[in-house]
Amino acid sequence: NKFINNEYSSSGIKDLLIVNDVIYASYTKEILIEDKSDSNKKSICLNTSILSATLIDKFDTPLNFKEFFTYKDCAEVRFDKQSRYGSAQAGGRMQYDSKNNKIYLTIGDFMSFVTSQNPESNLGKTISIDIESKKSKILSLGHRNQQGLLLIKSENLLIASEHGQRDGDEVNIIQIGKKDQNYGWPIASYSTYYGFENFEIRKLAPFYKSHKEHGFIEPAIQFSPSIAPSEIVFNIFENLDRNKIILSTLKDKSLHFLEISEDFKTIKSTNRLFIGEKIRDITTLNDYYILFLETSPALGILKKK
């Protein structure tokens, strides 16, 4: 509660990560900005930051969370139709790379049409954070809202799921050591408009369907109509084959079984399992999966027959 006051419906904890004896929590941070012309006027700005706390054995003792990672740039909260704030569009998924002692973090664009292509901003990016120095580096840009992330250590790459605006949901393959990886948003996207976008916004977001023709990276797979993708995990039913993964979804209320090509450039869908509830998260436990079902809400268990 020291860091999150829940003033905005979608602010709060986005993901949890445990590394050794430390728990990391990504969250929507609210930054208070004073008006330079009027000291009595203040506005709220949002970004995705990380808290950390040392785990302790006594369960009745509160964890002492501190700010682990943050940055100055943020998206101002505005409520007019043309500049809607998007606290739900925050990203916030984390993965830990034990080899390099780094945390990989997805950061959404907070419904801004200008930050994702700005190399000086962390918004709309996938970044790496060195745990010791806390120095960060942008790995990829041109993202909207990446709510799933999987590290494939053997290939030194990340698989990220991303919400399109209307249609055009994506799964992207991000090479950790490669520079200038731009996935196009909002210039290139398989999305369509909601209807609130005026001429100026449509100039910023023309939604070119071909990414490659405009100098951007094509998604490894895209979904139209939208499925609202959430987390990505390895397919343990396939004996941890590095090419086989499972994507959970919200709108589609299903699990999508996906297969990555041998050259790790494209992804194809191989099967779909209808669950019947929005699946916010999925994680492995021994030889089965735990699903966080958001509609009930409930925990679900998925086992192989």
Side-chain angles (χ1 to χ4, degrees):
N1 291 336
K2 188 168 89 175
F3 297 95
I4 299 168
N5 62 29
N6 290 319
E7 184 175 346
Y8 303 100
S9 59
S10 299
S11 64
I13 299 297
K14 300 302 176 185
D15 198 12
L16 297 175
L17 182 68
I18 297 174
V19 180
N20 300 322
D21 61 345
V22 178
I23 182 169
Y24 297 91
S26 60
Y27 77 112
T28 306
K29 180 180 180 179
E30 298 174 12
I31 302 169
L32 195 63
I33 299 176
E34 292 187 3
D35 192 321
K36 292 181 180 179
S37 60
D38 186 348
S39 59
N40 293 319
K41 285 186 178 181
K42 296 177 181 179
S43 60
I44 296 292
C45 212
L46 305 176
N47 71 20
T48 301
S49 299
I50 301 176
L51 305 172
S52 67
T54 301
L55 291 169
I56 49 181
D57 294 329
K58 295 179 181 179
F59 293 103
D60 59 345
T61 304
L63 294 171
N64 182 25
F65 277 99
K66 298 178 181 179
E67 195 160 67
F68 168 75
F69 174 78
T70 190
Y71 44 94
K72 291 182 179 180
D73 52 308
C74 55
E76 186 179 354
V77 174
R78 297 175 66 182
F79 297 97
D80 58 278
K81 276 191 173 182
Q82 305 303 329
S83 307
R84 304 180 304 166
Y85 81 94
S87 59
Q89 226 160 277
R93 190 63 77 173
M94 295 183 290
Q95 284 276 284
Y96 173 61
D97 183 347
S98 58
K99 181 180 178 182
N100 298 303
N101 199 30
K102 291 183 179 181
I103 292 174
Y104 301 118
L105 172 69
T106 67
I107 304 173
D109 73 346
F110 289 89
M111 209 171 282
S112 165
F113 289 95
V114 296
T115 55
S116 293
Q117 291 297 324
N118 179 2
E120 302 301 318
S121 172
N122 281 311
L123 305 185
K125 312 296 191 298
T126 305
I127 69 171
S128 67
I129 305 159
D130 186 277
I131 286 184
E132 293 299 325
S133 68
K134 300 182 184 179
K135 290 182 178 179
S136 65
K137 178 182 177 182
I138 293 175
L139 300 179
S140 62
L141 66 157
H143 299 292
R144 182 176 182 268
N145 186 20
Q146 324 93 295
Q147 291 193 352
L149 192 66
L150 176 66
L151 171 65
I152 301 183
K153 293 181 183 179
S154 61
E155 302 298 323
N156 200 34
L157 54 80
L158 296 163
I159 310 294
S161 69
E162 183 169 343
H163 291 251
Q165 177 165 281
R166 172 183 281 174
D167 300 336
D169 294 337
E170 301 177 355
V171 177
N172 290 303
I173 299 173
I174 302 168
Q175 298 182 46
I176 293 171
K178 190 175 179 180
K179 294 182 179 180
D180 302 322
Q181 293 179 95
N182 193 328
Y183 292 83
W185 176 262
I187 299 170
S189 174
Y190 290 96
S191 300
T192 56
Y193 297 111
Y194 285 130
F196 74 88
E197 302 89 352
N198 61 14
F199 177 72
E200 291 301 317
I201 289 178
R202 294 187 185 217
K203 279 173 60 181
L204 295 170
F207 292 169
Y208 298 127
K209 298 311 171 211
S210 173
H211 292 52
K212 187 177 180 180
E213 287 179 7
H214 296 88
F216 304 113
I217 300 172
E218 289 282 350
I221 187 173
Q222 69 96 9
F223 297 89
S224 295
S226 175
I227 59 172
S230 47
E231 181 62 307
I232 307 171
V233 290
F234 282 111
N235 185 345
I236 59 172
F237 300 148
E238 299 288 342
N239 298 318
L240 281 177
D241 189 313
R242 63 181 184 148
N243 291 74
K244 303 212 175 147
I245 57 177
I246 298 175
L247 172 68
S248 59
T249 66
L250 296 162
K251 182 180 178 181
D252 195 51
K253 300 181 180 179
S254 302
L255 295 175
H256 286 251
F257 292 76
L258 306 176
E259 184 174 335
I260 309 169
S261 63
E262 287 295 329
D263 60 4
F264 285 88
K265 290 184 178 179
T266 60
I267 293 174
K268 67 178 181 179
S269 179
T270 60
N271 203 357
R272 173 179 174 267
L273 178 63
F274 182 69
I275 301 296
E277 295 215 24
K278 292 181 178 180
I279 309 161
R280 175 60 64 179
D281 210 346
I282 177 173
T283 189
T284 54
L285 183 60
N286 300 321
D287 60 346
Y288 57 93
Y289 291 99
I290 302 293
L291 284 68
F292 182 78
L293 306 175
E294 195 168 89
T295 311
S296 297
L299 291 179
I301 297 174
L302 181 70
K303 293 184 177 182
K304 191 173 183 179
K305 266 190 172 183

